[in-house]
């Protein structure tokens, strides 16, 4: 959606960005998903996606006639009971980002005093959504090791899946500290698994193989932009093939992110 966010998390610097530019017309995104006949999942991330709650709702309605499962990653601030009630019947899985359940440490993690609001929203979601519709994701860093363990125990009590993602500095530029590899959550391979599997649609409609694609040598340009070319023509271009070949040998730190595993 965009990097705009309603929290001030210390692990990330995205919320400091002020130039969010124009957003591609939503119909272009909906059409692209319909054109990708083999698409299985759509993951909506930010920033905080629910800053644009109506846009998310319209997107879910626009692809409701497909088999695509949507994953929404949220900090929970705007994931209200009213929103849960509106989306519960869509093919949607909501992931709450919870790096701690300690109200005091929460203020350091989030940069705001949103603990009570987020936990109220989360417990409502637990009561209204099935386990396959709701889970939790935590980011593992030197600052959060004990807290992530506590979140895991909390999720087990509630019968909710808990995913752990290693913190990386590159691309997020937050205040947290990466763990040494021996203490990190396991990464299944030496190389990124996103090659030929993932696509990223940026707020302005630019299409990338992954949101860190420009970090690869010779891959700084998007595959194309929705509204200017079809998604199918982008994927069949010579440039797209070159980017894919680069991804097959890519070993950047972002391979640790769950979206690239």
């Amino acid at each position: 959606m965009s990097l705009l966010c309603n929290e001030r998390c210390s692990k990330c610097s995205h919320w400091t960005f002020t130039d969010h530019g124009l957003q591609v017309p939503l119909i272009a995104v909906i059409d692209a998903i319909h054109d990708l006949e083999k698409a299985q999942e759509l993951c909506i991330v930010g920033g905080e996606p629910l800053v644009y709650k109506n846009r998310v709702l319209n997107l879910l309605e626009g692809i409701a006639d497909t088999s695509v499962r949507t994953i929404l990653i949220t900090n929970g601030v705007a994931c209200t009971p009213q929103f849960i009630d509106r989306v519960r019947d869509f093919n949607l899985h909501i992931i709450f980002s919870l790096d701690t359940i300690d109200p005091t440490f929460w203020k350091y993690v989030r940069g705001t005093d949103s603990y009570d609001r987020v936990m109220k929203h989360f417990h409502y979601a637990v009561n209204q959504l099935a386990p396959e519709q709701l889970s939790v994701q935590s980011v593992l860093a030197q600052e959060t090791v004990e807290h992530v363990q506590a979140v895991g125990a909390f999720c087990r009590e509630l019968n909710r899946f808990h995913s752990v993602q290693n913190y990386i500095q590159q691309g997020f530029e937050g205040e947290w500290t990466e763990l040494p590899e021996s203490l990190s959550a396991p990464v299944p391979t030496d190389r990124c698994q996103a090659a030929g599997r993932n696509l990223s649609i940026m707020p302005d409609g630019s299409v990338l193989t992954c949101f860190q694609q420009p970090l690869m040598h010779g891959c700084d340009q998007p595959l194309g932009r929705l509204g200017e070319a079809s998604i199918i023509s982008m994927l069949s271009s010579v440039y797209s093939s070159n980017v894919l070949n680069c991804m097959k040998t890519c070993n950047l730190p972002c391979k640790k992110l769950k979206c690239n595993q």
Side-chain angles (χ1 to χ4, degrees), residues 216-247:
M216 294 189 296
H217 179 70
C219 302
D220 56 312
Q221 296 300 312
L223 307 184
R225 184 170 284 108
L226 298 182
E228 298 177 2
S230 71
I231 192 87
I232 301 303
S233 66
M234 295 181 209
L235 296 179
S236 59
S237 70
V238 173
Y239 177 63
S240 178
S241 297
N242 291 339
V243 173
L244 180 59
N245 286 333
C246 288
M247 286 192 72

Side-chain angles (χ1 to χ4, degrees), residues 35-224:
D35 289 343
L36 292 169
E37 297 180 357
K38 295 183 179 180
Q40 297 180 356
E41 289 186 345
L42 168 69
C43 187
I44 307 176
V45 299
E48 169 52 40
L50 295 185
V51 170
Y52 300 99
K53 192 175 296 186
N54 288 337
R55 191 169 168 89
V56 171
L57 290 168
N58 290 336
L59 177 56
L60 291 172
E61 292 170 354
I63 64 170
D65 60 342
T66 73
S67 61
V68 173
R69 178 186 187 227
T70 299
I71 297 172
L72 174 70
I73 302 178
T74 177
N75 60 33
V77 172
C79 194
T80 61
Q82 293 79 9
F83 177 78
I84 295 294
D85 291 344
R86 289 192 63 177
V87 302
R88 61 188 302 172
D89 293 328
F90 285 110
N91 187 11
L92 172 69
H93 181 92
I94 298 176
I95 300 177
F96 268 67
S97 177
L98 300 177
D99 300 315
T100 183
I101 53 172
D102 181 312
T104 301
F105 191 68
W106 182 281
K107 296 177 183 179
Y108 165 73
V109 169
R110 292 292 187 94
T112 70
D113 193 11
S114 59
Y115 176 86
D116 290 340
R117 184 189 315 173
V118 172
M119 297 309 293
K120 177 182 177 181
H121 295 169
F122 177 69
H123 283 291
Y124 184 86
V126 168
N127 289 330
Q128 298 298 318
L129 301 177
E132 61 270 19
Q133 295 177 293
L134 176 70
S135 65
V136 171
Q137 180 172 285
S138 300
V139 175
L140 187 64
Q142 288 190 25
E143 293 81 356
T144 64
V145 172
E146 294 182 1
H147 293 274
V148 168
Q149 293 174 351
V151 174
F154 172 70
C155 290
R156 287 191 293 274
E157 291 177 1
L158 296 173
N159 189 31
R160 300 292 154 160
F161 180 73
H162 180 225
S163 173
V164 178
Q165 178 165 280
N166 295 321
Y167 176 69
I168 64 170
Q169 264 282 331
Q170 189 179 48
F172 295 93
E173 283 74 47
E175 300 175 8
W176 293 9
T177 311
E178 294 183 27
L179 281 171
E181 189 171 328
S182 60
L183 299 177
S184 298
V187 178
T189 180
D190 289 339
R191 292 176 179 168
C192 180
Q193 294 297 292
R197 191 192 70 180
N198 288 8
L199 287 176
S200 294
I201 300 175
M202 308 308 286
D204 67 351
S206 296
V207 177
L208 306 171
T209 53
C210 68
F211 81 98
Q212 302 270 40
Q213 174 194 313
L215 297 178
M216 294 189 296
H217 179 70
C219 302
D220 56 312
Q221 296 300 312
L223 307 184

